[in-house]
Amino acid sequence: SFAMVDAAMEFLKLIREYAPNKLAGLYGGYLYYYGSFQLLYNGHSQFFKLYQSRLADFICTPNDYVQRKVGWPAGHHTPFSGTTLYNLANLDENDTRTIMCTPGGHRHVDNLHETIGVFKRDRILQLTKGLGNVNYDLGGGWLSHPGIINALRTMTNISKFADNLPGFTRSKVAVLYSAGSINRLVIDNNAVSVPVREGMRRELGISGISADQYLLEDILQDNFPEYDCYILPNVYAPSDELRDAIEKKLKKPGKLLVFGFAPGAFKDGKAEISPAAMKELTGMDIAFEMRKEKRSVKWDKGVYGSGAMVGPAFAVTDPEAEVWGKYTASGNTALAYKENPGSWNSLVALAPEMPAELWRRVFKRNGIHLFATSNDPTYYDGRFVAIHAASSGRKKLSLPEKHNWYDLCRN
């Protein structure tokens, strides 16, 4: 990963020197797609350094191979919101396998209606999150259907209409994915990375909000915006600089911080797990044992979790925290909430792949508006609102303020 990023930056420097009037960019950044070891040998774990170098004008990354399914919230292989902090354009490589594509592989549509539906969903994600769009045909004829062409033309017109449309507002929720922590835990990819990628992101995406996506390292930028809720699913080993930024920028009165597995377990570059460091970060007492725990959590409306065996086994032991969920095997606390009047609130979710209904409980408790409660992906940015129906039936959208409504797909 270091070699790939260094080589890319050298090429970008050459372009800057010999073709200063040309735009330069590159593909990459599959941080959500690969697990820790795969990220290392596929060259993506240090991709964020390209942002910080400010040598590129744009990056291009595919839309998520799993999240692109019909009824899913769509997504991106890289945390997309932070690129604007570096004046870096982010292009969504939309290589959706349409009905014109051979069944199997990454094709997840069965008819023209579903094909157009996922294209519309992807475009509204791009419009509300500031992404560019590039449609790809990697097999010959993927887009060669009159219905697809007409739909793409309509969406292009909507994108042009959006260029100078005022009223943009950010989400109230931000996911902060730690690139620096990815390789800190020697754990099987399927045990930790997949539940975050496919479980947490999907359930969060159908919970009734549309979260922005950043690298945790982005909070070091002076222009990092403020949110009401920050979700840190993999902050295993934040640097001292990041710990300080979390304290000063995120832990403000009324804010909610959500922590995932092994939150802040390592500090000062040491190999030993530190309960004191975890409490310092989360505000809760967290114990651990050098054994594996089944990632299955019981809450008052059922059981969730990947079921994978993960170690070390962490458990919340804070006597002042509200117990919201316990591991089904050991009975130890896996989900706990701690409200600090006049200060920031903390939720420790040691298995962060919580169901959408549980996420909605968290957001309601902290006054965060829900746009829908029907487990359908929703999108909103003050200018556009959309729902991608995961099931049939009447749907209800709720906005935080009054608006006039216009159906851009029909007129």
Side-chain angles (χ1 to χ4, degrees), residues 344-358:
W344 60 281
N345 301 325
S346 178
L347 178 74
V348 172
L350 297 173
E353 58 272 23
M354 300 189 301
E357 187 175 2
L358 187 46

Side-chain angles (χ1 to χ4, degrees), residues 213-408:
Q213 307 276 338
Y214 291 90
L215 293 171
L216 177 60
E217 289 73 9
D218 290 334
I219 69 173
L220 299 177
Q221 301 302 307
D222 292 336
N223 56 345
F224 182 79
E226 189 169 307
Y227 291 84
D228 291 343
C229 173
Y230 303 97
I231 301 171
L232 298 83
N234 70 329
V235 59
Y236 316 134
S239 65
D240 289 343
E241 185 180 21
L242 283 171
R243 284 180 180 270
D244 185 61
I246 291 171
E247 292 292 328
K248 294 178 179 177
K249 290 188 174 183
L250 308 189
K251 292 182 178 180
K252 295 182 179 180
K255 304 301 183 183
L256 170 65
L257 274 69
V258 180
F259 302 95
F261 183 75
F266 302 97
K267 188 179 181 182
D268 300 327
K270 296 180 180 178
E272 298 81 14
I273 294 174
S274 169
M278 289 190 284
K279 182 170 185 178
E280 179 184 87
L281 184 68
T282 66
M284 294 194 209
D285 294 317
I286 300 175
F288 75 96
E289 298 177 69
M290 296 307 295
R291 61 175 180 83
K292 290 188 176 182
E293 178 83 66
K294 185 178 181 181
R295 197 158 165 143
S296 175
V297 181
K298 181 176 176 57
W299 66 303
D300 58 16
K301 291 193 175 182
V303 176
Y304 69 88
S306 66
M309 298 298 294
V310 178
F314 294 89
V316 179
T317 57
D318 197 306
E320 298 180 359
E322 300 174 25
V323 176
W324 283 17
K326 295 184 177 183
Y327 287 117
T328 56
S330 67
N332 290 335
T333 299
L335 179 64
Y337 181 83
K338 191 172 184 179
E339 193 168 282
N340 302 296
S343 186
W344 60 281
N345 301 325
S346 178
L347 178 74
V348 172
L350 297 173
E353 58 272 23
M354 300 189 301
E357 187 175 2
L358 187 46
W359 280 112
R360 285 193 284 271
R361 177 183 295 183
V362 172
F363 296 140
K364 287 179 181 178
R365 178 76 175 261
N366 288 271
I368 294 170
H369 181 82
L370 298 173
F371 294 92
T373 58
S374 53
N375 284 356
D376 300 295
T378 55
Y379 308 90
Y380 177 79
D381 72 348
R383 308 169 306 161
F384 297 100
V385 64
I387 186 168
H388 175 58
S391 60
S392 59
R394 183 180 292 273
K395 306 294 181 179
K396 181 181 178 181
L397 279 170
S398 172
L399 300 187
E401 62 278 309
K402 290 184 177 181
H403 284 276
N404 293 321
W405 295 60
Y406 304 91
D407 189 338
L408 296 179

Side-chain angles (χ1 to χ4, degrees), residues 27-227:
Y27 293 81
Y30 289 44
L31 287 175
Y32 277 140
Y33 186 65
Y34 291 119
S36 58
F37 298 116
Q38 290 172 308
L39 279 169
L40 281 173
Y41 64 69
N42 281 307
H44 297 279
S45 71
Q46 299 299 309
F47 194 76
F48 69 96
K49 291 185 176 180
L50 287 167
Y51 302 175
Q52 299 170 343
S53 74
R54 301 181 187 269
L55 290 168
D57 297 297
F58 66 89
I59 62 167
C60 191
T61 307
N63 52 351
D64 193 281
Y65 297 138
V66 177
Q67 301 284 341
R68 66 176 63 176
K69 293 177 182 177
V70 178
W72 284 49
H76 213 235
H77 277 334
T78 189
F80 46 72
S81 303
T83 54
T84 57
L85 305 177
Y86 309 93
N87 294 321
L88 183 65
N90 197 333
L91 303 181
D92 189 354
E93 179 197 324
N94 196 326
D95 56 2
T96 293
R97 275 61 164 174
T98 72
I99 55 166
M100 306 301 290
C101 179
T102 303
H106 294 307
R107 174 178 158 174
H108 302 297
V109 295
D110 294 326
N111 52 53
L112 178 62
H113 177 72
E114 290 183 351
T115 298
I116 294 175
V118 296
F119 273 129
K120 289 165 66 176
R121 174 204 61 195
D122 295 345
R123 187 59 63 92
I124 196 67
L125 172 71
Q126 295 158 3
L127 287 174
T128 55
K129 299 304 181 184
L131 301 172
N133 177 74
V134 184
N135 288 112
Y136 275 69
D137 179 348
L138 301 178
W142 287 7
L143 307 176
S144 300
H145 186 289
I148 296 174
I149 296 298
N150 288 335
L152 293 178
R153 183 180 294 115
T154 297
M155 286 179 273
T156 297
N157 290 336
I158 292 173
S159 296
K160 292 179 180 178
F161 171 75
D163 281 346
N164 298 306
L165 198 63
F168 173 80
T169 59
R170 294 186 184 276
S171 172
K172 300 296 184 182
V173 180
V175 176
L176 307 176
Y177 194 72
S178 176
S181 287
I182 289 173
N183 302 304
R184 191 63 181 84
L185 287 178
V186 184
I187 293 180
D188 177 67
N189 169 39
N190 292 328
V192 174
S193 298
V194 171
V196 169
R197 184 186 86 204
E198 298 179 15
M200 188 200 80
R201 290 178 71 204
R202 178 181 183 275
E203 296 299 318
L204 193 60
I206 63 174
S207 68
I209 58 98
S210 183
D212 289 345
Q213 307 276 338
Y214 291 90
L215 293 171
L216 177 60
E217 289 73 9
D218 290 334
I219 69 173
L220 299 177
Q221 301 302 307
D222 292 336
N223 56 345
F224 182 79
E226 189 169 307
Y227 291 84

